[in-house]
Amino acid sequence: MYLIGGIALLLGGLLTINSIFSYQSKHIDPALLSTLWFQLKMIPLVFAANVMIGYGVKFSYKTTGSLTFSLGISKGIEIFICVLMGYIFMKEIPSWKTYAGLTVVVLGFVITKWK
């Protein structure tokens, strides 16, 4: 149960963080003051996302007993979210290279977990 809750918290937190930065890169003027104003308004969301990510890693670690595995799950989720945000905000369609890279990352993660 902790693992499912941890993954759900990781998903929520990482979706929030990546959505904020994707929105900023697409819709906020890169001038310093407009970026600072946007980031100031986002402090509550970034705080909530950091808490969700922290508890997601903590619950995953509590279940698996391996910090490497917990952080690996987090990075895997984040990679898939980055591809999703690229599609949603920038209309970037993943190419075969993207899928090949994701496969290499996932296989590398699986290989490191073999005993």
Side-chain angles (χ1 to χ4, degrees):
M1 188 64 184
Y2 277 115
L3 186 60
I4 294 170
I7 290 173
L9 285 169
L10 284 170
L11 261 170
L14 291 169
L15 268 171
T16 302
I17 290 286
N18 285 295
S19 296
I20 289 170
F21 289 128
S22 297
Y23 182 85
Q24 177 183 334
S25 67
K26 177 77 175 186
H27 299 291
I28 303 299
D29 183 38
L32 180 63
L33 289 178
S34 59
T35 300
L36 284 175
W37 179 241
F38 175 75
Q39 287 296 326
L40 185 64
K41 292 188 288 186
M42 292 296 113
I43 286 175
L45 284 176
V46 171
F47 177 75
N50 280 330
V51 170
M52 285 190 281
I53 293 168
Y55 272 102
V57 171
K58 182 177 183 167
F59 290 158
S60 299
Y61 174 71
K62 187 175 186 175
T63 302
T64 63
S66 171
L67 186 60
T68 304
F69 184 74
S70 301
L71 293 174
I73 289 172
S74 172
K75 290 302 170 191
I77 291 170
E78 186 169 14
I79 289 170
F80 286 108
I81 289 173
C82 288
V83 171
L84 178 68
M85 291 298 124
Y87 178 74
I88 291 173
F89 284 97
M90 303 296 188
K91 302 300 181 219
E92 295 173 353
I93 308 235
S95 68
W96 68 271
K97 294 177 193 176
T98 305
Y99 294 117
L102 289 173
T103 302
V104 167
V105 170
V106 170
L107 285 176
F109 182 68
V110 169
I111 289 171
T112 61
K113 293 312 296 173
W114 281 347
K115 297 224 175 197

